[in-house]
Amino acid sequence: MTDVPELVPARMVNEFVYCPRLFYLEWVQSRFEDNADTVHGRYVHRSVDQGGGSMGVSSEDDPVRNARSVLVSSERLGLIAKTDIVEGLDGKVVPVEVKRGRPPKHGPAWEPELLQLAAIGLILRDEGYDCDQGQFYFASSRERTTVEFDDRLMQRVLDVVERLRHVAASDDPPPPLVDSPKCPRCSLVGICLPDETNFHTGRVDKAPRRLTPRDSAARPLYVTEQGARLGVSQRRVEVKVNREVVRSDRLIDVSQINLSGNVQVSTQLLHAAFREDIPVCWFSYGGWFSGIAHGMPSKHVELRRRQVAVAAQAGLPLARQMVVGKIRNSRTLLMRNSREPVEAAVQQLKDLASKAGETDSIESLLGLEGAAARSYFGSFGSMLKDDRLGTFDFDGRNRRPPRDPVNCLLSFLYALLVKDLTAVALSIGFDPYLGVYHRPRFGRPALALDLAEEFRPIIAESVVINAVNNGEVTKSGFVIRAGGVALEQSARRAVIASYERRLDHEITHPTYGYKITYRRVLEVQARVLAACMLGEIPEYVPFTTR
């Protein structure tokens, strides 16, 4: 059981009545996401949030004069609230809550809003004010409705607060609502994954609805020009070369800032990026993912606590599924793209995937993955277009540094994929360096590498195949130094563009059945992993395209 704060915000009474799971995620786990409704709600509240007026003693000598944004609390009741407006009327006070929509046809407000307003009335009474009613102002219809604070309503509030505290004291959140019409408009639906969670736990047997939020219009910003400097001006990210602005993007249109090699970034831009939850990622000139900066870490401490426990004691079942997903996706890619007979490799990969799903040790799993990689990369060249110059001849995997163009492309795209999964892991609340399969050695983001396993074939390696076969990169796009091969700047830009197009590609989710982009799939899979670690679903299901 967890400790519950002495004072419960009245707004949390609203959330609890609407959905206990929403309340738990938002208050206990401090997880929140904006959507159009929450942003509009803040806009509607912009005037009352500025405060003002006088909140004195409710009497003829010192009356209340329409106070705005007033913080009131009662230790005896265990409640606290920030009231939108408190009006004085004939020696009494009337709390007024501002709402963005319209009143329901059946009454003055919906039940969650009624109980929130009544909780404010209880606090005002406990502070000595005469308060026997409250009001709602609905911004869309510009009308007011009145609520009488009778004993029955006030007792309902106290009963809800008692139940709320009991739920908040639990170590586990309540289960999601089942097929609820509330879920599509909830701002936390992408965190909660209600239909997906219910599907995995067997609470429902039909395919989940497509509730996860659409991809944001914001996109990663990549800066590869050596000597470039990045700053912020009037909420725009500016890229300067030789003191001349060569690119300017609105901050809200940027989801990541990625810097390659000798590129500078201002402190002011870092502050703005942290404030807007925009990660800043650094790559070496050769394409190695070398660092990430972000704002304060997620407040989802319970996830990190469970992650430590799983990594220490129960990581094998998760690791098995990740490796099975990787081998199955490798097999599918080979079957779809090989220009030569590869039946022996395809059958071997099928057998190895089956064995990987049953192995009883990490050491055996490593051996099986290694055997699968040798078989797969032994046939990888069959998926590449014949090259008269031999530029893209492939004879197995090599790295640090890559010694041929194909391995150079693979290493760079793996770095981009791990970068994205590191950012996803941090945003969800994971420690990206504590994995269940890859060991946390040498500063590797082990968990991001774990999550990358099933996506290497269908994202990174698929991009290599398309870039080579479609002529997006040619021999002139590579630089050879001391036996190592690196991408030339224009080729690097072409590969990044191809990678981003792949992330935007929309597919049918093999488990849930709805359309989703690879960009969103990365987040959904990480949240499925989190749900598994938290014990909300029984097992981790990898993303496989066949």
Side-chain angles (χ1 to χ4, degrees):
M1 302 288 281
T2 58
D3 294 330
V4 179
E6 293 182 1
L7 299 178
V8 177
R11 186 173 65 85
M12 288 299 116
V13 173
N14 183 326
E15 305 285 31
F16 181 80
V17 176
Y18 186 82
C19 172
R21 183 174 173 88
L22 170 64
F23 152 78
Y24 193 97
L25 296 178
E26 190 168 332
W27 195 48
V28 179
Q29 296 184 348
S30 298
R31 300 161 79 185
F32 183 77
E33 291 284 342
D34 268 322
N35 67 2
D37 290 342
T38 60
V39 172
H40 186 217
R42 283 201 299 273
Y43 177 77
V44 168
H45 280 80
R46 67 193 185 283
S47 296
V48 296
D49 286 345
Q50 293 177 359
S54 173
M55 187 69 180
V57 178
S58 183
S59 67
E60 294 182 358
D61 297 330
D62 189 14
V64 174
R65 298 186 180 88
N66 293 2
R68 298 189 302 275
S69 192
V70 179
L71 188 66
V72 293
S73 65
S74 167
E75 292 185 5
R76 186 181 68 84
L77 298 171
L79 287 167
I80 186 171
K82 179 174 283 189
T83 63
D84 289 341
I85 303 170
V86 180
E87 296 180 343
L89 181 65
D90 298 330
K92 299 181 179 181
V93 297
V94 179
V96 181
E97 284 294 287
V98 177
K99 299 298 178 182
R100 53 177 293 274
R102 299 173 180 271
K105 296 179 180 179
H106 64 272
W110 301 102
E111 184 182 18
E113 297 165 339
L114 281 174
L115 294 181
Q116 178 183 357
L117 183 64
I120 295 171
L122 277 173
I123 298 171
L124 291 170
R125 285 183 179 182
D126 200 62
E127 288 196 340
Y129 294 96
D130 189 355
C131 179
D132 56 19
Q133 68 175 25
Q135 294 184 348
F136 290 101
Y137 172 73
F138 291 92
S140 293
S141 57
R142 297 186 179 182
E143 59 184 308
R144 285 199 183 203
T145 60
T146 300
V147 178
E148 299 295 333
F149 291 155
D150 57 33
D151 293 341
R152 183 180 177 184
L153 178 61
M154 295 317 209
Q155 186 59 49
R156 283 169 58 197
V157 174
L158 297 176
D159 292 343
V160 166
V161 171
E162 183 178 352
R163 298 202 313 271
L164 174 156
R165 286 185 171 279
H166 178 76
V167 171
S170 173
D171 289 335
D172 300 308
L177 302 178
V178 175
D179 200 26
S180 172
K182 298 177 182 179
C183 296
R185 295 295 294 269
C186 177
S187 66
L188 267 63
V189 67
I191 293 174
C192 175
L193 297 181
D195 285 17
E196 293 86 348
T197 301
N198 288 330
F199 180 78
H200 284 295
T201 57
R203 298 181 75 214
V204 297
D205 56 7
K206 65 178 182 178
R209 295 168 291 177
R210 199 327 182 158
L211 300 178
T212 53
R214 297 291 177 185
D215 289 3
S216 167
R219 286 293 181 266
L221 170 64
Y222 292 87
V223 182
T224 61
E225 184 71 31
Q226 300 305 288
R229 294 177 178 271
L230 278 74
V232 61
S233 176
Q234 297 181 340
R235 296 190 59 79
R236 298 185 72 89
V237 181
E238 293 187 343
V239 182
K240 294 183 179 181
V241 177
N242 297 325
R243 299 185 178 182
E244 180 182 350
V245 176
V246 296
R247 177 165 181 166
S248 177
D249 295 274
R250 296 186 305 171
L251 199 62
I252 60 173
D253 292 332
V254 177
S255 62
Q256 294 176 356
I257 298 173
N258 299 281
L259 313 174
S260 295
N262 182 27
V263 178
Q264 307 297 318
V265 59
S266 72
T267 300
Q268 292 86 346
L269 178 54
L270 286 175
H271 280 299
F274 297 162
R275 186 171 58 249
E276 301 296 331
D277 293 326
I278 300 172
V280 181
C281 305
W282 281 266
F283 293 81
S284 68
Y285 183 77
W288 300 108
F289 177 40
S290 57
I292 185 170
H294 58 93
M296 296 298 291
S298 166
K299 297 176 183 178
H300 194 4
V301 178
E302 180 62 18
L303 175 58
R304 289 191 287 277
R305 190 178 73 82
R306 301 283 182 98
Q307 182 186 359
V308 171
V310 169
Q313 301 176 4
L316 179 59
L318 295 171
R320 276 198 304 249
Q321 291 294 86
M322 292 169 175
V323 172
V324 167
K326 175 185 180 179
I327 297 174
R328 289 178 60 186
N329 284 335
S330 298
R331 178 174 179 269
T332 298
L333 192 71
L334 195 58
M335 291 171 62
R336 290 177 178 175
N337 294 279
S338 178
R339 298 163 181 263
E340 303 170 4
V342 288
E343 288 81 2
V346 167
Q347 183 60 46
Q348 187 176 17
L349 290 172
K350 181 179 179 180
D351 295 341
L352 289 167
S354 178
K355 292 178 181 178
E358 299 174 353
T359 187
D360 58 1
S361 71
I362 289 290
E363 291 74 21
S364 296
L365 190 60
L366 284 166
L368 292 167
E369 188 209 2
R374 287 190 293 273
S375 178
Y376 171 64
F377 282 116
S379 301
F380 190 84
S382 68
M383 295 186 282
L384 301 176
K385 189 176 180 180
D386 289 338
D387 178 16
R388 181 171 53 83
L389 299 177
T391 303
F392 297 110
D393 288 346
F394 183 79
D395 188 26
R397 186 80 175 100
N398 59 68
R399 59 183 77 78
R400 299 192 186 97
R403 295 187 292 276
D404 60 75
V406 175
N407 275 291
C408 173
L409 290 170
L410 288 170
S411 293
F412 182 55
L413 284 157
Y414 291 158
L416 293 177
L417 180 60
V418 170
K419 172 264 298 183
D420 281 329
L421 286 166
T422 300
V424 165
L426 286 167
S427 69
I428 290 173
F430 281 116
D431 178 350
Y433 289 91
L434 186 60
V436 296
Y437 180 52
H438 291 85
R439 298 299 91 189
R441 301 171 60 197
F442 312 115
R444 297 182 303 183
L447 187 73
L449 291 167
D450 289 347
L451 287 165
E453 289 297 335
E454 63 210 67
F455 292 110
R456 288 175 186 263
I458 55 180
I459 294 181
E461 290 151 21
S462 178
V463 171
V464 171
I465 293 167
N466 288 332
V468 171
N469 292 349
N470 296 338
E472 295 177 57
V473 289
T474 60
K475 181 179 181 179
S476 62
F478 299 90
V479 178
I480 301 176
R481 294 193 184 95
V485 178
L487 279 163
E488 183 268 335
Q489 184 162 290
S490 61
R492 184 182 290 113
R493 290 172 180 166
V495 173
I496 290 172
S498 182
Y499 172 76
E500 290 295 324
R501 286 197 304 273
R502 184 62 175 172
L503 291 184
D504 286 334
H505 179 70
E506 190 173 69
I507 58 168
T508 300
H509 197 289
T511 304
Y512 307 136
Y514 50 63
K515 293 284 188 179
I516 189 170
T517 64
Y518 277 117
R519 193 183 303 278
R520 181 63 72 182
V521 164
L522 298 181
E523 179 188 343
V524 169
Q525 283 302 108
R527 292 198 184 280
V528 169
L529 178 62
C532 185
M533 287 189 175
L534 291 167
E536 294 186 0
I537 62 175
E539 64 178 0
Y540 177 75
V541 179
F543 182 91
T544 55
T545 56
R546 183 171 178 173

